[in-house]
Amino acid sequence: MALGPYEVAAGHWDRAGARFIDDGVNFCCFSHTASTVELLLFEHDHSQTPFQVIPLDPWQHRTFFFWHLLVKDLPEGVFYGWRMDGCHDTVHTGCRHDPGKLLLDPWAATVSDRLWDRARACQPGDNVASAMRAQILRDHYDWEGDEHPHTPLVDAIIYELHVGGFTRHPSAQAEHPGTFRALIDKIPYLQELGITHVELLPVMAFDVQDAPPKTLELGLENYWGYSTHSFFAPHPGYAVEPNRARDEFRDMVKALHRAGIGVILDVVFNHTSEGGATGPIINFKGMDNEVFYHLDFDDRSQYRDYTGCGNTVNCNHPLVTRYLIDSLYYWAHDMHVDGFRFDLASAMARGEDGQPQQHAPILWSIELSPELARAHIIAEAWDAAGLYQVGDFPGYRWAEWNGHYRDVIRSFVRGDPGIDEVATRIAGSSDLYETRGRRPGNSINFVTCHDGFTLHDLVSYNQKHNEANGEDNRDGHNDNRSWNCGVEGPTDDPAILALRQRQAMNFIAILMLSQGVPMLLAGDEILRTQGGNNNSYCQNNELSWFNWGQVEPQRAMLEFTRGLIALRRRHPNLRRRHFLTGTAEHTHDLPDISWHSARLNRAAWGEADARLLAFTLAARNPDEAHLHVIMNMSDKSVLCELPPLPGLHWFRAVDTADARPVLPPPEQPQINVARLMVVARSVMVFEARAQL
């Protein structure tokens, strides 16, 4: 069927994007420097030439700096893009209008990258035949009564996973590997594990071609997805049918909600895939480069790069703030997500002068938004230019990835001396949060995440091994605070393998016994390895994928992780809403927490060589159990005292040095001694109750 030409009318300026209204489709975008604007319509996502080009009359189709028109009787499924001309003075004004570049609608909900050629978009001249484009689709999704789980963040157990990598390995036996639909099939595994939320690495549409030239020459790509170009569109590569990416994402959310699992999105508002001065023109550069990005004060052809990715989004410009907030509203309201984790969020705290602001408009707009009031908001509270705001991120509601927790616990478990700060981190990091009226739930505790070693590699490598990335091992973190247990990388030595397993269990145990919110990296529960690569951002292959063939060989580690999650979930005193004080609420009560060394109530505060820390966590209600925890990270076994509790007995719940390291209450042995030996580099946990 031949398409067009279609009749046009003025349209509306207050409806950004492409929307079906009245008798046609209303198109609207923003540019305050463009002098001429055209809308290009394409029949297919692979059409290299438009079937209709519609010039916009600035007298009829511009209101303020919004360009708009109504295309009458336009059918669903048509693809489109914008083309703009005007000022091109990169040095003095920062304008980068290029009439040869097809511009992707920033408000598009469905996009296609089928023809995309990043290299062509970086070069002068026309790229209409190789550009991304948006698609016009009606929205009539049936949520079937979907309800959010509404799990409070302080009760959450977060599981960070990559949508593609979770089901792409052949062992996943997925009908459609690497997609939203395939993840649905793995929900029973997530339920059995016991997590409450998945935190998805970026799922907003991103550019897989955004990687260094040598990396691309090796056949690698931008796998993690921290290269967003469309903040309203799900990534088409995660859909079985790319034009249904929006609804396939919703199907996944709906299925997770039915299983009681919330969905947190990793959001990349700090930079875009357009990169620096030599990067491609995709959308924002060609529409309003000088509004959307931080530009150099003296030479506006250059970008101020606080992200390490070539550019920094000017988040606190009023227009950009509104655009990004609208994106969050859309994902929360129209896509039913339960929260957001903001990548390099400190870059968002920078004002238009590049300096950090305590009252950055975008951060407070998110915090105080009624529409986002029930969404979890989590900051990666640093950027790539040295701004580190853990414990001091603007606002009060924001939770933060606690980098201090990660570093201190890694050092402790590998055997570094000193226990003072270890206790502070395990108790919820009151030094970071309490003085500003914040609570333990503001701390997202983790020891591993996508960016760095996996848990297996943390106990198997002293150094990073990133040669496969094509950057001569220069990329990735150098300060990993890891310990290989005696041999770098793979080994057949049974003693070293046993020690690595115990060290991995120690990490999981401490994480689940800490106040705050624990976050697990997907695959750590089955000791997934990346061969020492601590920056697998470009490895869309078996190096990064979740290997389902490891589930059975690593059944012991999986069951241990499940057991520690179950222990945490049955003990509310591990998920306290307020900070511990070390005192009793009532005269007849135990202190909420008591700290010990091998001897009771004699914690080795200030002792430079201390490597053992124990604590007793008192139950708050009669139907809860007291807990006693001993963490011996020294290289020697130590005889430790157990606190006497009149009328109660101690039962061993966890011993990372035992053949059965975690036991449910019916199977826990009663401890009938006042002192017991705690093996070197092990964690023990005891529950107190009346004799069974």
Side-chain angles (χ1 to χ4, degrees):
M1 180 179 69
L3 295 175
Y6 294 96
E7 183 182 352
V8 302
H12 305 277
W13 70 272
D14 57 345
R15 304 179 187 185
R19 306 188 189 189
F20 283 93
I21 61 169
D22 303 329
D23 56 348
V25 178
N26 189 81
F27 295 87
C28 178
C29 65
F30 179 93
S31 177
H32 83 290
T33 52
S35 57
T36 62
V37 176
E38 295 177 331
L39 177 70
L40 283 68
L41 302 177
F42 300 85
E43 183 174 3
H44 304 291
D45 65 347
H46 57 275
S47 300
Q48 298 192 12
T49 57
F51 67 80
Q52 186 172 356
V53 178
I54 306 172
L56 277 68
D57 180 352
W59 298 104
Q60 182 183 12
H61 298 296
R62 189 177 79 174
T63 303
F64 309 118
F65 297 118
F66 288 93
W67 296 81
H68 50 85
L69 77 162
L70 178 71
V71 181
K72 297 183 178 179
D73 301 319
L74 191 65
E76 182 178 14
V78 166
F79 292 83
Y80 71 98
W82 296 96
R83 196 156 51 186
M84 295 185 179
D85 198 4
C87 167
H88 190 88
D89 178 6
T90 58
V91 174
H92 299 99
T93 68
C95 294
R96 287 181 177 265
H97 291 300
D98 185 340
K101 297 295 183 283
L102 184 69
L103 304 178
L104 187 62
D105 183 357
W107 285 270
T110 303
V111 300
S112 172
D113 57 4
R114 181 172 176 179
L115 296 176
W116 174 238
D117 185 335
R118 183 179 179 89
R120 184 70 193 89
C122 293
Q123 301 167 1
D126 193 295
N127 80 323
V128 171
S130 59
M132 288 183 270
R133 60 234 21 214
Q135 188 176 27
I136 308 161
L137 295 172
R138 295 184 183 274
D139 189 4
H140 41 68
Y141 186 76
D142 183 2
W143 278 102
E144 301 178 296
D146 175 66
E147 294 185 5
H148 296 265
H150 290 311
T151 303
L153 191 58
V154 73
D155 291 330
I157 297 166
I158 299 172
Y159 188 76
E160 189 196 31
L161 69 83
H162 186 285
V163 168
F166 199 55
T167 60
R168 201 159 276 163
H169 195 280
S171 62
Q173 299 182 334
E175 182 179 359
H176 302 288
T179 64
F180 300 126
R181 194 176 296 178
L183 195 149
I184 294 174
D185 296 334
K186 300 301 182 182
I187 290 177
Y189 174 86
L190 300 175
Q191 284 182 293
E192 292 173 9
L193 186 59
I195 57 99
T196 66
H197 293 76
V198 289
E199 182 174 299
L200 306 179
L201 268 68
V203 297
M204 296 181 185
F206 60 88
D207 183 8
V208 299
Q209 299 176 29
D210 184 10
K214 189 175 178 180
T215 300
L216 294 173
E217 289 172 8
L218 293 172
L220 305 174
E221 64 182 41
N222 193 310
Y223 164 69
W224 282 349
Y226 292 93
S227 183
T228 311
H229 54 69
S230 297
F231 293 90
F232 287 78
H235 184 56
Y238 293 156
V240 178
E241 302 173 65
N243 67 334
R244 292 197 68 254
R246 177 172 55 179
D247 287 351
E248 289 186 23
F249 175 86
R250 288 164 161 168
D251 290 343
M252 178 194 68
V253 171
K254 186 164 58 177
L256 285 163
H257 283 178
R258 285 173 176 167
I261 298 172
V263 179
I264 299 172
L265 299 190
D266 197 334
V267 175
V268 190
F269 282 177
N270 60 83
H271 74 280
T272 76
S273 60
E274 291 188 301
T278 60
I281 292 177
I282 299 175
N283 40 23
F284 306 108
K285 275 186 178 180
M287 291 182 173
D288 256 311
N289 181 63
E290 69 283 14
V291 167
F292 209 83
Y293 297 111
H294 285 282
L295 304 181
D296 185 86
F297 297 114
D298 300 318
D299 179 0
R300 298 184 68 77
S301 68
Q302 302 301 310
Y303 293 78
R304 284 182 277 159
D305 183 5
Y306 305 118
T307 67
C309 299
N311 66 50
T312 307
V313 175
N314 188 13
C315 292
N316 290 299
H317 183 285
L319 174 71
V320 182
T321 296
R322 177 57 189 269
Y323 170 79
L324 297 176
I325 294 294
D326 284 351
S327 168
L328 296 179
Y329 289 172
Y330 173 78
W331 288 94
H333 182 268
D334 290 37
M335 307 296 272
H336 285 208
V337 304
D338 304 278
F340 306 93
R341 176 266 186 188
F342 295 83
D343 178 63
L344 294 182
S346 289
M348 298 164 59
R350 294 183 181 271
E352 293 193 68
D353 60 357
Q355 297 303 307
Q357 293 185 326
Q358 187 63 35
H359 300 296
I362 189 168
L363 301 182
W364 283 98
S365 295
I366 294 170
E367 168 139 344
L368 301 176
S369 164
E371 291 84 355
L372 299 174
R374 303 198 71 170
H376 304 313
I377 52 174
I378 303 169
E380 184 184 37
W382 53 83
D383 66 17
L387 183 56
Y388 192 83
Q389 296 177 297
V390 174
D392 194 38
F393 198 73
Y396 298 92
R397 184 178 148 211
W398 286 86
E400 300 168 6
W401 270 26
N402 192 339
H404 292 297
Y405 179 95
R406 172 199 60 206
D407 296 343
V408 168
I409 300 304
R410 283 187 176 194
S411 296
F412 176 59
V413 173
R414 77 174 176 182
D416 291 2
I419 51 88
D420 295 52
E421 191 176 355
V422 175
T424 301
R425 299 294 154 243
I426 288 173
S429 296
S430 60
D431 61 328
L432 300 177
Y433 301 111
E434 188 173 24
T435 57
R436 293 188 54 210
R438 301 165 84 183
R439 298 182 178 183
N442 288 103
S443 176
I444 306 297
N445 300 329
F446 67 105
V447 291
T448 59
C449 65
H450 69 277
D451 187 5
F453 280 148
T454 65
L455 183 58
H456 172 279
D457 293 356
L458 187 64
V459 300
S460 304
Y461 294 89
N462 285 349
Q463 307 295 332
K464 65 182 183 181
H465 298 270
N466 298 355
E467 290 81 5
N469 295 352
E471 298 183 55
D472 300 320
N473 206 35
R474 295 188 305 271
D475 60 310
H477 298 293
N478 294 314
D479 181 19
N480 295 290
R481 306 195 185 198
S482 58
W483 180 47
N484 63 20
C485 297
V487 173
E488 186 75 355
T491 180
D492 294 326
D493 188 319
I496 291 177
L497 292 173
L499 178 57
R500 288 178 178 177
Q501 180 101 348
R502 189 158 77 246
Q503 287 286 82
M505 289 181 177
N506 291 338
F507 276 118
I508 295 294
I510 294 171
L511 180 64
M512 292 301 160
L513 293 165
S514 298
Q515 302 295 327
V517 182
M519 184 184 76
L520 285 170
L521 172 64
D524 278 355
E525 73 278 10
I526 58 168
L527 294 178
R528 184 179 70 85
T529 180
Q530 294 176 171
N533 190 318
N534 76 347
N535 187 33
S536 63
Y537 79 99
C538 58
Q539 300 289 340
N540 187 8
N541 50 52
E542 293 192 12
L543 185 74
S544 292
W545 297 342
F546 190 108
N547 184 350
W548 292 90
Q550 286 296 104
V551 170
E552 286 308 316
Q554 293 294 344
R555 174 64 60 179
M557 187 66 193
L558 175 59
E559 294 301 331
F560 178 83
T561 306
R562 286 176 178 170
L564 263 294
I565 290 174
L567 183 145
R568 181 179 181 85
R569 295 187 69 170
R570 72 174 180 263
H571 286 286
N573 57 353
L574 290 172
R575 311 189 304 276
R576 295 194 175 225
R577 270 58 176 170
H578 300 279
F579 286 103
L580 299 159
T581 66
T583 61
E585 293 184 9
H586 306 286
T587 56
H588 61 278
D589 289 344
L590 295 173
D592 54 11
I593 191 167
S594 303
W595 297 99
H596 320 285
S597 60
R599 300 187 65 183
L600 296 176
N601 301 307
R602 296 188 183 183
W605 306 132
E607 294 186 16
D609 61 347
R611 292 177 173 84
L612 185 147
L613 180 65
F615 63 90
T616 307
L617 195 63
R620 295 174 299 168
N621 300 305
D623 58 344
E624 298 175 14
H626 305 297
L627 289 173
H628 185 70
V629 178
I630 307 172
M631 300 173 291
N632 178 18
M633 295 301 114
S634 74
D635 57 2
K636 296 179 175 62
S637 297
V638 179
L639 191 63
C640 295
E641 298 177 342
L642 286 177
L645 293 177
L648 298 175
H649 300 272
W650 288 113
F651 293 82
R652 178 172 61 79
V654 176
D655 182 356
T656 60
D658 192 77
R660 295 189 65 196
V662 60
L663 297 170
E667 301 177 39
Q668 295 171 359
Q670 182 175 321
I671 307 301
N672 296 312
V673 296
R675 297 187 300 170
L676 78 170
M677 192 66 70
V678 180
V679 172
R681 302 189 186 279
S682 71
V683 174
M684 298 189 75
V685 182
F686 306 89
E687 298 182 64
R689 57 179 176 269
Q691 190 169 8
L692 294 177

